[in-house]
Amino acid sequence: MAKQDYVKSSDAAFCIQITHLATTLPQFYSQFNLTASDPLVAGNIQDAQNFDYLCKRQVKLLDASQGATATRNRARYGDVQNPGAAVDLSYPSNSTPPPSPVQPGIEKRFREFVDFLRTRAGWSEAIAEILGVNGPEQVRPDPATLMPVITLSMSGTRVEVGWK
């Protein structure tokens, strides 16, 4: 039976998926005759680090934005719960240095890397499941239970049939 796409659609889920592959794959290096220094493997690791950094940075920036709005509102309108306290104008800084930059197209390279792994001797559906790159089974509707939705309407002297 056909499978659905294995790549997760949300950024958070894809971040978990690409990081999981990068951290789980080393147990299969010898089976696939790979090392961490192989260009495709190293590229996948770097892509996973970059995307993880970007996802975490986005969450921090959103939190900082909400905090900045709350601080601005407190400074402008006051604070009923703590009216005498000074407004802290400092903002959180990024304490984590960014990883080495990568070219755009992380998802495309991830798909290509998984396709490369699928060609290696020793690849199996069980390994795909462990690595998190096995799409769920595609559930197709039962043709016996499918029925079209038909609507009828009059337009002057004509009957119009709608079919979905």
Side-chain angles (χ1 to χ4, degrees), residues 100-111:
S100 300
V102 296
Q103 293 294 317
I106 290 174
E107 182 180 325
K108 180 179 182 283
R109 285 192 301 276
F110 177 75
R111 288 179 184 278

Side-chain angles (χ1 to χ4, degrees), residues 71-82:
T71 300
R72 184 209 56 215
N73 290 343
R74 185 168 169 260
R76 180 173 180 179
Y77 304 113
D79 188 346
V80 208
Q81 295 175 348
N82 199 359

Side-chain angles (χ1 to χ4, degrees), residues 129-161:
E129 195 69 37
I130 293 168
L131 295 176
V133 292
N134 204 4
E137 294 289 332
Q138 190 170 20
V139 179
R140 296 180 186 240
D142 181 11
T145 62
L146 289 178
M147 297 198 316
V149 177
I150 299 173
T151 58
L152 299 174
S153 62
M154 292 292 293
S155 177
T157 58
R158 296 185 339 206
V159 176
E160 293 183 356
V161 178

Side-chain angles (χ1 to χ4, degrees), residues 10 13 32 50 62 71 73 75 78 86 90 98 106 121 127 130 154 163:
S10 79
F32 295 150
N50 269 267
L62 287 172
T71 300
N73 290 343
S90 65
I106 290 174
I127 291 174
I130 293 168
M154 292 292 293
W163 178 283

Side-chain angles (χ1 to χ4, degrees), residues 102-123:
V102 296
Q103 293 294 317
I106 290 174
E107 182 180 325
K108 180 179 182 283
R109 285 192 301 276
F110 177 75
R111 288 179 184 278
E112 291 168 351
F113 183 63
V114 171
D115 289 345
F116 163 75
L117 291 176
R118 290 181 193 276
T119 66
R120 306 300 285 185
W123 179 264

Side-chain angles (χ1 to χ4, degrees), residues 12-121:
F14 178 64
C15 184
I16 291 168
Q17 183 181 34
I18 192 171
T19 302
H20 175 76
L21 176 71
T23 57
T24 309
L25 186 62
Q27 65 183 306
F28 299 105
Y29 281 172
S30 61
Q31 188 170 346
F32 295 150
N33 195 23
L34 295 172
T35 66
S37 61
D38 288 328
L40 287 175
V41 176
N44 180 70
I45 291 169
Q46 191 174 18
D47 282 348
Q49 290 169 345
N50 269 267
F51 202 71
D52 182 61
Y53 174 83
L54 290 171
C55 288
K56 287 177 180 173
R57 187 180 75 171
Q58 181 185 22
V59 169
K60 285 180 184 178
L61 288 172
L62 287 172
D63 289 346
S65 172
Q66 292 169 353
T69 301
T71 300
R72 184 209 56 215
N73 290 343
R74 185 168 169 260
R76 180 173 180 179
Y77 304 113
D79 188 346
V80 208
Q81 295 175 348
N82 199 359
V87 177
D88 180 11
L89 299 179
S90 65
Y91 290 98
S93 62
N94 188 9
S95 59
T96 308
S100 300
V102 296
Q103 293 294 317
I106 290 174
E107 182 180 325
K108 180 179 182 283
R109 285 192 301 276
F110 177 75
R111 288 179 184 278
E112 291 168 351
F113 183 63
V114 171
D115 289 345
F116 163 75
L117 291 176
R118 290 181 193 276
T119 66
R120 306 300 285 185

